[in-house]
Amino acid sequence: MERFRLTDLPALFATGDDMDRTLSELLSLAPPHGRGQDSPLPRAIILAGITEKELSTFMAAWKHLGLPRQNWATLTPTSETWSLIDLLTELDLERIAMSSKS
């Protein structure tokens, strides 16, 4: 990600203990919360506090680097009140619905 100038983005890593936290609670934790810990949660990237251009760059870099497929979300005023597990479930349902349309 260095060549895409995305090295200064703070990152949190959700664990099973975080699944009932709201997104706003989770994002109030200090980076690199959860790094290096196993997690039973589905893979997802939830981005907050970045511009649309940074989001596009991040997603393009992810794809270019051939990193594992993820569910993607951005924090919204509505989603910040959701529990992490509710958001992850919704993202999985959306992915399944989109896959069945293909």
Side-chain angles (χ1 to χ4, degrees):
M1 292 293 202
E2 288 176 3
R3 69 180 142 169
F4 296 98
R5 297 190 176 119
L6 295 170
T7 58
D8 62 342
L9 296 176
L12 301 170
F13 300 85
T15 67
D17 292 339
D18 297 319
M19 74 172 88
D20 292 323
R21 291 182 195 247
T22 64
L23 295 184
S24 62
E25 290 172 327
L26 196 61
L27 292 172
S28 71
L29 300 173
H33 171 79
R35 185 177 186 150
Q37 296 180 35
D38 289 335
S39 177
L41 300 173
R43 296 176 77 79
I45 295 176
I46 305 164
L47 298 157
I50 64 172
T51 66
E52 188 173 336
K53 182 178 179 183
E54 290 170 323
L55 172 62
S56 294
T57 300
F58 190 91
M59 292 178 80
W62 192 272
K63 183 176 181 178
H64 176 78
L65 294 169
L67 296 171
R69 185 168 227 172
Q70 305 287 315
N71 284 330
W72 293 82
T74 56
L75 187 70
T76 67
T78 299
S79 68
E80 71 183 355
T81 64
W82 290 16
S83 69
L84 177 59
I85 195 63
D86 286 346
L87 177 67
L88 294 174
T89 300
E90 183 63 27
L91 290 173
D92 273 342
L93 292 172
E94 288 177 7
R95 181 185 48 78
I96 291 166
M98 296 299 287
S99 295
S100 67
K101 288 183 180 182
S102 299

